[in-house]
Amino acid sequence: MKLVIGYDGTACAREALDGLALAGLPPGTQAKVVCVADVWLPSLTPQEEQALPLPVAKGRALARQAFQEALRVAEQGRDFLAEQFPSWTVECEARADSPAWGLIKAAKEWAADLLVVGSHGRSAVGRILLGSVSQKVATEAPCSVRIARHRPDPARTELRLLLGFDGSPGACAAFDALLTRRWPEETAVHVVTVMEPRMLSDLGSTESPLRRWVQTGDMEAQAVFRRMLDDAAARIERAGLRASSALLEGDPKHRLLEEAERAAVDCVFVGARGLNFVERFLLGSVSAAIAGRVHTTVEIVRPRD
Protein backbone atom coordinates (compact mmCIF):
# COMPACT_ATOMS: atom_id res chain seq x y z
CA MET A 1 0.00 0.00 0.00
CA LYS A 2 1.26 3.48 -0.90
CA LEU A 3 0.58 6.52 1.26
CA VAL A 4 1.19 10.22 0.72
CA ILE A 5 1.03 12.10 4.02
CA GLY A 6 0.65 15.87 4.15
CA TYR A 7 2.74 17.09 7.09
CA ASP A 8 3.45 20.63 8.29
CA GLY A 9 4.90 20.00 11.75
CA THR A 10 1.85 21.14 13.73
CA ALA A 11 0.20 19.22 16.55
CA CYS A 12 -2.65 18.24 14.22
CA ALA A 13 -0.18 16.94 11.65
CA ARG A 14 1.56 14.90 14.34
CA GLU A 15 -1.84 13.51 15.38
CA ALA A 16 -2.31 12.38 11.78
CA LEU A 17 0.96 10.45 11.99
CA ASP A 18 0.08 8.98 15.38
CA GLY A 19 -3.34 7.94 14.09
CA LEU A 20 -1.81 5.75 11.41
CA ALA A 21 -1.09 3.19 14.13
CA LEU A 22 -4.87 2.69 14.31
CA ALA A 23 -5.52 2.71 10.56
CA GLY A 24 -5.02 -1.02 10.03
CA LEU A 25 -2.23 -0.51 7.51
CA PRO A 26 -0.10 -3.54 6.61
CA PRO A 27 3.64 -4.14 7.11
CA GLY A 28 5.63 -3.16 4.05
CA THR A 29 3.57 -0.02 3.45
CA GLN A 30 5.35 2.61 1.36
CA ALA A 31 4.91 6.13 2.72
CA LYS A 32 5.97 9.53 1.44
CA VAL A 33 5.82 12.52 3.79
CA VAL A 34 5.18 15.72 1.84
CA CYS A 35 5.45 19.26 3.17
CA VAL A 36 4.25 21.99 0.83
CA ALA A 37 5.69 25.49 1.04
CA ASP A 38 2.99 27.89 -0.09
CA VAL A 39 5.33 29.88 -2.34
CA TRP A 40 6.02 30.37 -6.02
CA LEU A 41 9.50 29.15 -6.92
CA PRO A 42 9.90 28.44 -10.64
CA SER A 43 13.16 27.08 -11.99
CA LEU A 44 15.46 29.75 -13.39
CA THR A 45 18.79 29.65 -15.16
CA PRO A 46 21.77 31.42 -13.52
CA GLN A 47 21.45 34.16 -16.12
CA GLU A 48 17.76 34.66 -15.31
CA GLU A 49 18.57 34.77 -11.60
CA GLN A 50 21.14 37.52 -12.12
CA ALA A 51 18.72 39.56 -14.23
CA LEU A 52 16.00 39.66 -11.57
CA PRO A 53 15.06 43.08 -10.15
CA LEU A 54 16.12 43.50 -6.52
CA PRO A 55 12.57 43.25 -5.00
CA VAL A 56 11.92 40.07 -7.00
CA ALA A 57 15.27 38.61 -5.97
CA LYS A 58 14.47 39.29 -2.30
CA GLY A 59 11.08 37.64 -2.67
CA ARG A 60 12.68 34.64 -4.32
CA ALA A 61 15.20 34.37 -1.49
CA LEU A 62 12.34 34.30 1.03
CA ALA A 63 10.62 31.63 -1.06
CA ARG A 64 13.78 29.50 -0.99
CA GLN A 65 13.93 29.85 2.79
CA ALA A 66 10.31 28.68 3.06
CA PHE A 67 11.11 25.73 0.81
CA GLN A 68 14.12 24.74 2.93
CA GLU A 69 11.97 24.97 6.06
CA ALA A 70 9.38 22.75 4.40
CA LEU A 71 12.09 20.21 3.59
CA ARG A 72 13.30 20.26 7.21
CA VAL A 73 9.74 19.66 8.45
CA ALA A 74 9.22 16.84 5.94
CA GLU A 75 12.41 15.17 7.14
CA GLN A 76 11.20 15.38 10.74
CA GLY A 77 7.95 13.70 9.75
CA ARG A 78 9.83 11.01 7.83
CA ASP A 79 12.11 10.25 10.78
CA PHE A 80 9.18 10.04 13.21
CA LEU A 81 7.24 7.73 10.91
CA ALA A 82 10.23 5.49 10.23
CA GLU A 83 10.74 5.07 13.98
CA GLN A 84 7.07 4.25 14.59
CA PHE A 85 6.79 1.81 11.67
CA PRO A 86 10.15 0.07 11.16
CA SER A 87 8.66 -2.34 8.60
CA TRP A 88 7.62 0.54 6.33
CA THR A 89 9.61 2.21 3.59
CA VAL A 90 9.44 5.94 4.31
CA GLU A 91 10.70 8.86 2.24
CA CYS A 92 9.97 12.57 2.14
CA GLU A 93 9.95 15.60 -0.09
CA ALA A 94 9.18 19.32 -0.06
CA ARG A 95 7.19 21.11 -2.75
CA ALA A 96 6.67 24.74 -3.66
CA ASP A 97 3.02 24.95 -4.62
CA SER A 98 -0.40 25.76 -3.27
CA PRO A 99 -0.83 23.29 -0.39
CA ALA A 100 -3.84 21.36 -1.69
CA TRP A 101 -2.63 21.02 -5.26
CA GLY A 102 0.88 20.14 -4.12
CA LEU A 103 -0.48 17.17 -2.17
CA ILE A 104 -2.87 16.16 -4.96
CA LYS A 105 -0.06 16.23 -7.53
CA ALA A 106 2.20 14.20 -5.24
CA ALA A 107 -0.50 11.56 -4.79
CA LYS A 108 -1.10 11.39 -8.54
CA GLU A 109 2.58 11.22 -9.50
CA TRP A 110 3.28 8.54 -6.90
CA ALA A 111 0.10 6.55 -7.70
CA ALA A 112 -0.83 6.64 -4.01
CA ASP A 113 -3.61 4.47 -2.61
CA LEU A 114 -4.31 6.84 0.27
CA LEU A 115 -3.64 10.53 0.89
CA VAL A 116 -3.52 11.46 4.60
CA VAL A 117 -3.98 15.00 5.95
CA GLY A 118 -4.70 16.54 9.32
CA SER A 119 -7.76 18.65 9.93
CA HIS A 120 -5.89 21.88 10.78
CA GLY A 121 -2.49 23.33 10.06
CA ARG A 122 -0.57 26.55 9.67
CA SER A 123 0.22 28.94 6.88
CA ALA A 124 3.66 29.44 5.32
CA VAL A 125 4.53 25.74 5.41
CA GLY A 126 1.45 23.91 4.31
CA ARG A 127 -1.87 24.89 5.87
CA ILE A 128 -3.44 21.43 6.02
CA LEU A 129 -6.58 23.36 6.97
CA LEU A 130 -10.10 21.99 6.96
CA GLY A 131 -12.32 24.11 4.73
CA SER A 132 -9.47 24.84 2.36
CA VAL A 133 -6.74 22.26 1.94
CA SER A 134 -8.47 19.22 3.47
CA GLN A 135 -11.73 19.91 1.68
CA LYS A 136 -9.96 20.51 -1.64
CA VAL A 137 -7.95 17.32 -1.21
CA ALA A 138 -11.12 15.37 -0.38
CA THR A 139 -12.87 16.50 -3.56
CA GLU A 140 -9.96 16.47 -6.03
CA ALA A 141 -7.55 13.73 -4.95
CA PRO A 142 -7.13 10.82 -7.40
CA CYS A 143 -7.15 8.31 -4.55
CA SER A 144 -8.78 7.67 -1.20
CA VAL A 145 -8.37 10.37 1.44
CA ARG A 146 -7.97 10.12 5.21
CA ILE A 147 -8.67 13.29 7.22
CA ALA A 148 -7.22 12.61 10.65
CA ARG A 149 -8.56 13.94 13.95
CA HIS A 150 -8.04 13.02 17.59
CA ARG A 151 -9.88 10.03 19.04
CA PRO A 152 -13.00 10.75 21.09
CA ASP A 153 -11.64 8.56 23.91
CA PRO A 154 -7.88 7.97 23.64
CA ALA A 155 -7.87 5.79 26.76
CA ARG A 156 -10.32 3.28 25.28
CA THR A 157 -8.61 0.12 24.08
CA GLU A 158 -11.41 -0.96 21.74
CA LEU A 159 -11.31 0.52 18.23
CA ARG A 160 -14.69 1.57 16.81
CA LEU A 161 -15.37 2.11 13.11
CA LEU A 162 -18.49 3.30 11.30
CA LEU A 163 -19.24 2.38 7.68
CA GLY A 164 -21.82 4.40 5.75
CA PHE A 165 -23.28 1.81 3.40
CA ASP A 166 -25.89 2.23 0.65
CA GLY A 167 -24.98 -0.77 -1.54
CA SER A 168 -23.43 1.38 -4.27
CA PRO A 169 -20.04 0.63 -5.89
CA GLY A 170 -18.51 3.47 -3.88
CA ALA A 171 -19.87 2.11 -0.61
CA CYS A 172 -18.70 -1.39 -1.55
CA ALA A 173 -15.22 0.00 -2.22
CA ALA A 174 -15.23 1.55 1.25
CA PHE A 175 -16.37 -1.80 2.68
CA ASP A 176 -13.61 -3.68 0.86
CA ALA A 177 -10.99 -1.15 1.97
CA LEU A 178 -12.07 -1.58 5.57
CA LEU A 179 -12.02 -5.39 5.40
CA THR A 180 -8.56 -5.58 3.80
CA ARG A 181 -6.92 -3.67 6.68
CA ARG A 182 -5.33 -5.37 9.68
CA TRP A 183 -7.35 -4.27 12.70
CA PRO A 184 -6.65 -5.03 16.37
CA GLU A 185 -8.65 -7.74 18.09
CA GLU A 186 -12.07 -6.68 19.35
CA THR A 187 -12.36 -3.95 16.70
CA ALA A 188 -16.05 -3.09 16.31
CA VAL A 189 -17.61 -2.06 12.98
CA HIS A 190 -20.98 -0.30 12.97
CA VAL A 191 -22.66 -0.44 9.52
CA VAL A 192 -25.25 2.29 8.93
CA THR A 193 -27.74 2.67 6.09
CA VAL A 194 -29.86 5.80 5.94
CA MET A 195 -33.05 5.55 3.90
CA GLU A 196 -34.57 8.66 2.40
CA PRO A 197 -37.34 8.98 -0.24
CA ARG A 198 -35.11 9.33 -3.27
CA MET A 199 -33.10 6.28 -2.27
CA LEU A 200 -36.22 4.13 -2.60
CA SER A 201 -36.61 5.11 -6.26
CA ASP A 202 -33.37 3.33 -7.07
CA LEU A 203 -35.01 0.00 -6.22
CA GLY A 204 -37.13 0.41 -9.34
CA SER A 205 -34.11 0.40 -11.65
CA THR A 206 -33.12 -2.94 -13.17
CA GLU A 207 -29.49 -1.74 -13.09
CA SER A 208 -29.54 -0.81 -9.41
CA PRO A 209 -26.83 -2.45 -7.29
CA LEU A 210 -29.54 -2.93 -4.67
CA ARG A 211 -31.29 -5.54 -6.82
CA ARG A 212 -29.04 -8.28 -5.51
CA TRP A 213 -30.77 -8.02 -2.12
CA VAL A 214 -34.34 -7.95 -3.51
CA GLN A 215 -36.34 -11.16 -3.13
CA THR A 216 -39.69 -12.21 -4.54
CA GLY A 217 -42.40 -11.41 -2.04
CA ASP A 218 -40.74 -8.35 -0.54
CA MET A 219 -43.50 -5.95 0.45
CA GLU A 220 -41.45 -3.23 2.10
CA ALA A 221 -38.20 -1.52 1.14
CA GLN A 222 -37.00 -1.95 4.70
CA ALA A 223 -36.75 -5.69 4.09
CA VAL A 224 -34.27 -5.11 1.25
CA PHE A 225 -32.09 -2.76 3.26
CA ARG A 226 -32.21 -4.93 6.36
CA ARG A 227 -31.11 -7.93 4.25
CA MET A 228 -28.27 -5.80 2.87
CA LEU A 229 -27.19 -4.82 6.37
CA ASP A 230 -27.38 -8.41 7.65
CA ASP A 231 -25.20 -9.54 4.75
CA ALA A 232 -22.66 -6.81 5.52
CA ALA A 233 -22.61 -7.67 9.22
CA ALA A 234 -22.05 -11.35 8.42
CA ARG A 235 -19.05 -10.52 6.22
CA ILE A 236 -17.59 -8.38 9.00
CA GLU A 237 -18.00 -11.18 11.52
CA ARG A 238 -16.34 -13.66 9.14
CA ALA A 239 -13.38 -11.26 8.94
CA GLY A 240 -12.93 -11.63 12.69
CA LEU A 241 -14.40 -8.25 13.66
CA ARG A 242 -17.38 -7.40 15.83
CA ALA A 243 -20.37 -6.14 13.84
CA SER A 244 -23.46 -4.08 14.55
CA SER A 245 -25.85 -2.33 12.19
CA ALA A 246 -28.49 0.38 12.09
CA LEU A 247 -31.20 1.16 9.52
CA LEU A 248 -32.18 4.82 9.84
CA GLU A 249 -34.41 7.26 8.01
CA GLY A 250 -33.86 10.91 7.17
CA ASP A 251 -31.09 13.01 5.65
CA PRO A 252 -27.91 10.90 5.41
CA LYS A 253 -25.72 13.94 6.08
CA HIS A 254 -27.34 14.49 9.45
CA ARG A 255 -28.12 10.94 10.50
CA LEU A 256 -24.62 9.60 9.83
CA LEU A 257 -23.12 12.44 11.84
CA GLU A 258 -25.54 11.79 14.68
CA GLU A 259 -24.74 8.08 14.66
CA ALA A 260 -21.00 8.71 14.61
CA GLU A 261 -21.38 10.99 17.64
CA ARG A 262 -23.69 8.58 19.47
CA ALA A 263 -21.40 5.60 18.95
CA ALA A 264 -18.22 7.65 19.66
CA VAL A 265 -16.45 6.01 16.71
CA ASP A 266 -12.76 6.45 15.97
CA CYS A 267 -13.10 6.54 12.18
CA VAL A 268 -15.89 6.89 9.63
CA PHE A 269 -15.60 5.15 6.23
CA VAL A 270 -17.71 6.41 3.30
CA GLY A 271 -17.55 5.96 -0.45
CA ALA A 272 -16.80 8.89 -2.71
CA ARG A 273 -19.74 8.04 -4.96
CA GLY A 274 -23.17 6.67 -4.16
CA LEU A 275 -26.43 5.59 -5.75
CA ASN A 276 -27.87 7.51 -8.69
CA PHE A 277 -30.94 9.67 -8.10
CA VAL A 278 -30.18 9.89 -4.39
CA GLU A 279 -28.63 12.59 -2.19
CA ARG A 280 -26.71 9.63 -0.74
CA PHE A 281 -22.98 9.07 -0.24
CA LEU A 282 -21.97 11.44 -3.04
CA LEU A 283 -18.87 13.60 -2.84
CA GLY A 284 -20.03 17.17 -2.77
CA SER A 285 -23.00 16.32 -0.56
CA VAL A 286 -22.88 13.53 2.01
CA SER A 287 -19.18 12.66 1.90
CA ALA A 288 -18.17 16.32 1.93
CA ALA A 289 -20.54 17.03 4.81
CA ILE A 290 -19.13 14.14 6.81
CA ALA A 291 -15.55 15.19 6.08
CA GLY A 292 -16.24 18.77 7.12
CA ARG A 293 -18.39 18.25 10.19
CA VAL A 294 -17.65 14.93 11.88
CA HIS A 295 -15.48 15.22 14.99
CA THR A 296 -13.42 12.12 14.33
CA THR A 297 -11.19 10.71 11.59
CA VAL A 298 -12.88 10.06 8.25
CA GLU A 299 -11.79 8.10 5.18
CA ILE A 300 -13.36 8.85 1.79
CA VAL A 301 -12.69 5.80 -0.36
CA ARG A 302 -12.32 5.85 -4.14
CA PRO A 303 -12.10 2.59 -6.09
CA ARG A 304 -8.75 2.04 -7.78
CA ASP A 305 -8.73 1.54 -11.55
Side-chain angles (χ1 to χ4, degrees):
M1 190 166 184
K2 300 180 71 174
L3 273 64
V4 165
I5 304 162
Y7 184 74
D8 65 359
T10 62
C12 286
R14 179 59 67 90
E15 276 189 354
L17 297 188
D18 290 335
L20 292 175
L22 299 174
L25 299 170
T29 290
Q30 301 176 57
K32 177 178 286 190
V33 178
V34 179
C35 188
V36 184
D38 192 4
V39 296
W40 188 60
L41 195 60
S43 299
L44 298 178
T45 66
Q47 294 77 12
E48 290 171 330
E49 287 270 8
Q50 293 177 357
L52 290 175
L54 183 59
V56 177
K58 289 183 177 179
R60 186 170 173 82
L62 291 174
R64 280 197 295 267
Q65 291 178 12
F67 181 83
Q68 290 302 316
E69 172 65 8
L71 181 58
R72 183 188 66 80
V73 170
E75 290 170 344
Q76 287 180 343
R78 175 201 61 196
D79 295 343
F80 175 81
L81 208 61
E83 182 178 351
Q84 297 299 310
F85 301 96
S87 70
W88 289 15
T89 300
V90 186
E91 56 186 272
C92 71
E93 69 172 48
R95 288 180 174 242
D97 206 333
S98 64
W101 286 112
L103 295 175
I104 292 167
K105 291 172 187 175
K108 184 176 182 180
E109 293 168 8
W110 212 47
D113 300 298
L114 184 65
L115 175 52
V116 181
V117 295
S119 61
H120 297 282
R122 68 184 183 193
S123 56
V125 195
R127 267 196 348 269
I128 317 303
L129 176 64
L130 191 65
S132 58
V133 175
S134 293
Q135 202 70 8
K136 189 70 173 180
V137 165
T139 56
E140 301 291 345
C143 59
S144 300
V145 174
R146 180 181 175 91
I147 300 175
R149 298 181 178 91
H150 64 274
R151 298 184 68 194
D153 183 4
R156 187 181 65 223
T157 57
E158 175 195 64
L159 190 62
R160 300 178 185 175
L161 311 175
L162 185 147
L163 172 69
F165 192 68
D166 66 354
S168 67
C172 290
F175 196 179
D176 290 341
L178 188 154
L179 287 185
T180 55
R181 303 282 179 88
R182 298 190 177 191
W183 303 107
E185 292 185 7
E186 297 301 312
T187 293
V189 182
H190 188 46
V191 189
V192 181
T193 294
V194 182
M195 295 190 306
E196 51 99 16
R198 281 168 291 182
M199 189 174 184
L200 302 180
S201 67
D202 198 75
L203 286 171
S205 170
T206 57
E207 298 180 357
S208 170
L210 297 176
R211 300 288 290 187
R212 75 174 94 168
W213 290 288
V214 176
Q215 293 183 4
T216 303
D218 284 338
M219 301 298 294
E220 299 289 341
Q222 285 86 345
V224 178
F225 296 120
R226 174 48 61 188
R227 193 173 295 120
M228 180 178 75
L229 282 172
D230 290 344
D231 178 62
R235 289 183 59 195
I236 291 168
E237 294 282 358
R238 287 197 296 271
L241 307 174
R242 294 169 51 206
S244 61
S245 62
L247 181 60
L248 309 176
E249 295 186 15
D251 185 337
K253 296 190 293 293
H254 301 306
R255 298 310 306 274
L256 282 173
L257 287 168
E258 292 170 357
E259 196 69 1
E261 293 292 327
R262 184 199 63 78
V265 299
D266 299 297
C267 185
V268 176
F269 281 77
V270 291
R273 290 288 182 270
L275 294 172
N276 293 327
F277 316 117
V278 194
E279 193 163 348
R280 77 276 195 208
F281 306 109
L282 173 64
L283 199 58
S285 59
V286 174
S287 293
I290 297 298
R293 295 167 55 196
V294 74
H295 297 303
T296 190
T297 297
V298 59
E299 285 202 23
I300 300 173
V301 180
R302 289 181 173 84
R304 299 294 297 178
D305 291 337

